[in-house]
Amino acid sequence: MNTQNKSTALSAELNNFIYGVSRRNFQNAPDLTKIGISLLRNFPAARDAVLEYFAMVFHDAVNVSINQTDYESDPSANGSLESVSMIGPELCNMGESWAPFIAPWCINLIMDIATEKANLPNATLQNTDPVRVLLDITTQNLTLLNSDERAKCIDMMLGCRACSWAVGWVGRAEPALVAPRALALGAESARAVLAHLANHPPALYHVRAALVDLFQEAIKEDSKADKKREVIPYLLNLASKSDIVLKALTQDIEQTLTDEVMDRLCVVCAAHRHSGPWEGVGPSSLVALLLRSDVHCFLLLLKHAQRNLFCRQLLEYLLQKLEYECLFPDANIPLVMSAAEEINIIREKLLIGNQLEQYSIARILILVSYNLPSEFVSTISYLLQYSRNDTTLALLVRIVSGTISMHTPGDGTDINMDTERYQNFIKTGVEYALRDAMISDTQIKKYFIEDTVTKDAKTYLHHFCLNIVKLLRWERSGRVSALRTRWAARAVEASVGRLGAALRARAATLRAPTAAPPDMRTCHALAEVLDNIDMSGTKSPPPSVEVILKVVQATVQYFFRCINEKDIMSKIRGIQTASRLLRKLCLHSKLARAVALRDLLETAMFREDKVFGSRTVVANTISSPRDWHNEELLIYMNQKHGPITQLTQSHTSVFHAGIIGKGVRKRDSQDGEDAPPVLTLNNELLMGALMSCMDGNSGIVEGSTSISLLLVELVSPDVMYNGLPWPDEDFTKQVSIERELYMRCAVERCGVARAALRRAARARPALCLASALLRATAASLLHRARAHLDRHTQSPEMARELAALTELLSVMTLGQLLPHPLSHILELAPELTPSEIVQVLRDCIWNYTRDHVPSPALFTCDSSGLHWRDPSTCKPPATYTDTLRLIIQKRISKLGHMYPIMFLNLEKDS
């Protein structure tokens, strides 16, 4: 039953195949190809029909490959190409029994295609995928034939003039069989004379002159070509036996083998390659000569390999032979040594050459790096600096991975040691590239006019950073197998300190407003490199504390350079990069967090204060001497207000309209006006950078605590009275009022300090540590509001005092330093008179905080990590709320709506 089913299925397949082929439609070629392959395996009698159909498919596929544009709309085009990709592996693996049938079929098919496409260049036909598949099938099956059968197949190809390129391709696998039949030999020359002269090195010039004359005579077009056809193989054979002849032939070879000479030489070789004297001029003999020559011969071979098929085949054979010979420990190949001596020419050619030249030179550089580690380091440094596209950067990856793989074979016993050794070489190459790029940029700035640099110009350091970033991205993608060992990332991570120093130096030069745009782009590139480096210690050892601190300081400088940028998109991108860097650096290091917070606050408050809307602090400063009129002096201005201003302890003499040495205080143009949007944005970006230094709830509380302590340290003029307790009101009036005024002035004029206080208030325990700043504002508000009672109740000064009170109350309320109902004073403040403000400040806020010291111990931490005060346990006694109750009752018509909100719950509880 099974046999009957198989026969039925086979018959159905045969019918389907015959029906499909008869339709002459290649749109269903993949299906028919699958059926044909099945018939070859299960029904050998259909061999001729199936192979004939396969030949039709190959012919159609060749036409599609050559004329891609003509077949774009043809749905059968892809079908033919897909069928070819299925036929190749199947015919290569049919076995020895099928080789005598498949090999001649392939050769006949190649001959038919070559004859049909004889008007096309050999390189164009050879590079098509169907022809390459045919050549692979032919090569695989020829190895399964005996010598006689292989000879017949080779003779078949040699009989067709149009497929000489196929002979060369197949001959790479069978050089001993192809060479005797492809080349003809002969012998006639003055060998004795040349051999005798070649034994004397001083006669090199004469030998060279004679050899060049003989060579030129051999390729000259005249009627004696038959007699001179043996000269060229003779010269090659002689050079293979004599080093001095080889040296004479290869000296200044670019001048000898010019394009015109090469054209004539190709004609001569094409005309006489089947003669007897040319039998010894095979690929192996030419490669043996090239191995002993200098690198200029190799470069000349690269030049002509683009348009000459034989040169291309010879190039591949040469590179394979070099790679094999270099594996021996004692190998000392002259071509490799010459490439090392002319390494600058080789590297330059690697950057500007075509694709074939680049990939061939990369293989030579792998061999040079294998023999000379110093050149390995310098090659890495060179390509990191001067690579300008993905191709040359990919060649760097290939050179590095190829060199390492040659040194660390899979069965070696010292793999780890060799890998670590070459990792150190890579690290040194990265360091050299960074150093040389910075030196190059410095020299360019020194010797050239900076104003002539275009806006789009990139520095050497910028290109270096772009190449590093691209390597790191390739590595993280996981698609480049040669980068899976993280050799690029480990090398860059070892240079974190130098990269940080470079970023810091570049950012420092940008403080001048006339800095060149390329410098800022270089800073962005350096920051991007640092942002792509893993500094957590999970994949490699973490950087040292010294390195981390250097990078933190450099990142802070880079942040402020980005703040000053005018292009909003570049500004935001740069600040986001800086914030990510700060987060990574501070994540595992409390010291880095402390340094970052201090640098950010100090720089924003004192060195870059104008960018954040801060005004210059003029308190306690002395103006330049000048002649003052009596009506301009502050003492005379105060005397106009009455005799009370002359008392030594009078608050009006302190708070009146000016500063000693400066005259009458003029209202600042910015008072009462909102900050420009860019200043608000800058403050928000700074606060975001500060928050980036903190990670998690514990990190936010700890970081906010550091911010509070830093604010007190930076604002307070001394270390006295910086504790948490609030003293009696009389103490501030009699002892520390000047200190309180100075601190309030410093905070009010510094937008960064006010924003940082609000940030600290969000992490509630942290605001307690800034109690000195809150106390200073409250004390100055209390005394100034009391001073205004005798004068203008609606003066601009009072309006500013009310604004300061509102900000103080909002910060204290946000930080939960004022419990209910004191927290609602913020809503009452705009409606209070100066006298009521004095009462509320003294009786409610000051007395409460004096008796209930703002301390982190008042706050509890819940399971989510949030710190807060339980309202049920912190109700203020009536002593601190009666003043508010009386004020509301007194002005019930205007403030009555606040009474149930503030006191209803208190009365119920009581």
Side-chain angles (χ1 to χ4, degrees), residues 155-177:
D155 290 337
M156 288 174 60
M157 287 190 293
L158 289 173
C160 179
R161 297 180 59 185
C163 64
S164 59
W165 49 270
V167 180
W169 180 272
V170 178
R172 294 171 60 186
E174 298 288 341
L177 186 63

Side-chain angles (χ1 to χ4, degrees), residues 113-154:
I113 293 174
T115 303
E116 181 182 351
K117 307 297 182 183
N119 58 332
L120 293 176
N122 293 337
T124 302
L125 187 60
Q126 182 184 351
N127 288 331
T128 59
D129 291 337
V131 173
R132 286 185 175 275
V133 172
L134 277 177
L135 293 173
D136 291 338
I137 297 173
T138 306
T139 304
Q140 291 289 336
N141 285 275
L142 281 178
T143 58
L144 302 177
L145 300 176
N146 57 40
S147 58
D148 293 337
E149 291 172 337
R150 287 199 299 270
K152 291 180 181 179
C153 292
I154 296 298

Side-chain angles (χ1 to χ4, degrees), residues 368-640:
V368 173
S369 302
Y370 174 77
N371 289 277
L372 300 171
S374 61
E375 299 300 338
F376 179 56
V377 172
S378 60
T379 299
I380 294 174
S381 174
Y382 181 87
L383 290 178
L384 284 178
Q385 292 179 75
Y386 299 104
S387 178
R388 298 294 183 265
N389 51 58
D390 292 353
T391 301
T392 51
L393 201 60
L395 292 176
L396 170 62
V397 176
R398 183 174 183 179
I399 291 170
V400 173
S401 60
T403 305
I404 296 177
S405 61
M406 289 186 70
H407 278 274
T408 56
D411 56 350
T413 58
D414 55 351
I415 296 178
N416 294 332
M417 184 178 67
D418 277 350
T419 302
E420 189 63 26
R421 175 173 173 243
Y422 274 84
Q423 182 62 45
N424 291 332
F425 290 152
I426 299 171
K427 180 188 72 173
T428 305
V430 173
E431 293 175 357
Y432 285 2
L434 176 59
R435 180 201 64 188
D436 294 343
M438 295 181 68
I439 292 175
S440 298
D441 292 341
T442 304
Q443 291 176 344
I444 289 175
K445 285 186 177 181
K446 182 178 179 181
Y447 293 108
F448 295 93
I449 301 175
E450 292 187 1
D451 293 340
T452 61
V453 179
T454 60
K455 293 184 178 181
D456 297 331
K458 293 184 176 69
T459 61
Y460 285 103
L461 186 58
H462 191 180
H463 284 295
F464 165 80
C465 294
L466 294 178
N467 291 332
I468 290 293
V469 169
K470 194 168 293 182
L471 284 177
L472 296 177
R473 287 176 178 172
W474 289 353
E475 184 179 281
R476 286 199 308 271
S477 68
R479 299 178 181 178
V480 184
S481 58
L483 291 171
R484 290 177 182 172
T485 58
R486 294 189 72 252
W487 55 262
R490 284 188 291 165
V492 179
E493 288 164 4
S495 301
V496 170
R498 293 177 175 84
L499 290 168
L503 177 59
R504 187 173 183 179
R506 286 286 175 150
T509 60
L510 287 172
R511 296 197 67 176
T514 58
D519 290 333
M520 193 63 220
R521 288 197 295 271
T522 303
C523 284
H524 290 320
L526 282 167
E528 190 175 2
V529 172
L530 291 171
D531 188 32
N532 282 273
I533 297 175
D534 178 29
M535 290 180 279
S536 62
T538 56
K539 298 181 180 179
S540 59
S544 63
V545 175
E546 180 184 3
V547 170
I548 289 179
L549 295 184
K550 284 183 179 179
V551 178
V552 166
Q553 294 169 349
T555 305
V556 170
Q557 287 200 0
Y558 169 68
F559 170 82
F560 287 105
R561 298 290 74 77
C562 293
I563 284 287
N564 287 278
E565 250 200 300
K566 295 181 179 179
D567 185 6
I568 188 64
M569 295 306 298
S570 299
K571 176 179 182 176
I572 297 299
R573 283 195 299 267
I575 289 176
Q576 288 177 343
T577 302
S579 299
R580 286 195 302 269
L581 267 175
L582 291 173
R583 181 179 294 109
K584 291 196 299 184
L585 292 166
C586 301
L587 184 62
H588 304 287
S589 174
K590 293 183 179 180
L591 179 59
R593 178 184 301 164
V595 172
L597 292 176
R598 176 177 288 274
D599 284 355
L600 284 170
L601 277 179
E602 282 188 350
T603 306
M605 291 176 63
F606 301 113
R607 291 187 287 275
E608 300 285 348
D609 50 336
K610 295 181 180 178
V611 183
F612 300 96
S614 301
R615 290 165 288 169
T616 305
V617 178
V618 297
N620 299 331
T621 59
I622 300 176
S623 66
S624 57
R626 70 183 181 91
D627 295 333
W628 294 87
H629 301 286
N630 288 341
E631 60 272 12
E632 295 177 332
L633 295 179
L634 184 60
I635 187 171
Y636 291 102
M637 296 293 295
N638 286 332
Q639 287 175 355
K640 294 178 181 180

Side-chain angles (χ1 to χ4, degrees), residues 564-756:
N564 287 278
E565 250 200 300
K566 295 181 179 179
D567 185 6
I568 188 64
M569 295 306 298
S570 299
K571 176 179 182 176
I572 297 299
R573 283 195 299 267
I575 289 176
Q576 288 177 343
T577 302
S579 299
R580 286 195 302 269
L581 267 175
L582 291 173
R583 181 179 294 109
K584 291 196 299 184
L585 292 166
C586 301
L587 184 62
H588 304 287
S589 174
K590 293 183 179 180
L591 179 59
R593 178 184 301 164
V595 172
L597 292 176
R598 176 177 288 274
D599 284 355
L600 284 170
L601 277 179
E602 282 188 350
T603 306
M605 291 176 63
F606 301 113
R607 291 187 287 275
E608 300 285 348
D609 50 336
K610 295 181 180 178
V611 183
F612 300 96
S614 301
R615 290 165 288 169
T616 305
V617 178
V618 297
N620 299 331
T621 59
I622 300 176
S623 66
S624 57
R626 70 183 181 91
D627 295 333
W628 294 87
H629 301 286
N630 288 341
E631 60 272 12
E632 295 177 332
L633 295 179
L634 184 60
I635 187 171
Y636 291 102
M637 296 293 295
N638 286 332
Q639 287 175 355
K640 294 178 181 180
H641 293 274
I644 193 174
T645 60
Q646 301 176 20
L647 300 179
T648 56
Q649 295 296 327
S650 174
H651 55 267
T652 55
S653 65
V654 176
F655 289 107
H656 188 247
I659 300 172
I660 296 175
K662 289 289 187 178
V664 177
R665 175 183 289 130
K666 298 179 181 179
R667 183 179 178 183
D668 198 329
S669 60
Q670 293 183 1
D671 288 350
E673 298 179 2
D674 294 335
V678 66
L679 302 182
T680 305
L681 174 63
N682 290 345
N683 274 286
E684 289 299 322
L685 294 175
L686 176 63
M687 294 302 108
L690 290 174
M691 296 301 295
S692 298
C693 300
M694 316 169 196
D695 182 75
N697 291 330
S698 60
I700 291 176
V701 173
E702 182 180 346
S704 299
T705 301
S706 300
I707 290 176
S708 296
L709 294 174
L710 281 171
L711 285 174
V712 174
E713 177 184 345
L714 297 174
V715 173
S716 177
D718 51 46
V719 296
M720 297 179 63
Y721 317 121
N722 283 341
L724 302 183
W726 289 45
D728 291 334
E729 178 211 352
D730 292 337
F731 176 83
T732 60
K733 179 173 62 176
Q734 298 173 6
V735 178
S736 60
I737 187 60
E738 292 188 13
R739 181 179 184 274
E740 313 292 354
L741 285 171
Y742 174 85
M743 295 173 67
R744 178 186 168 182
C745 179
V747 172
E748 284 188 347
R749 291 179 178 274
C750 183
V752 173
R754 299 195 303 272

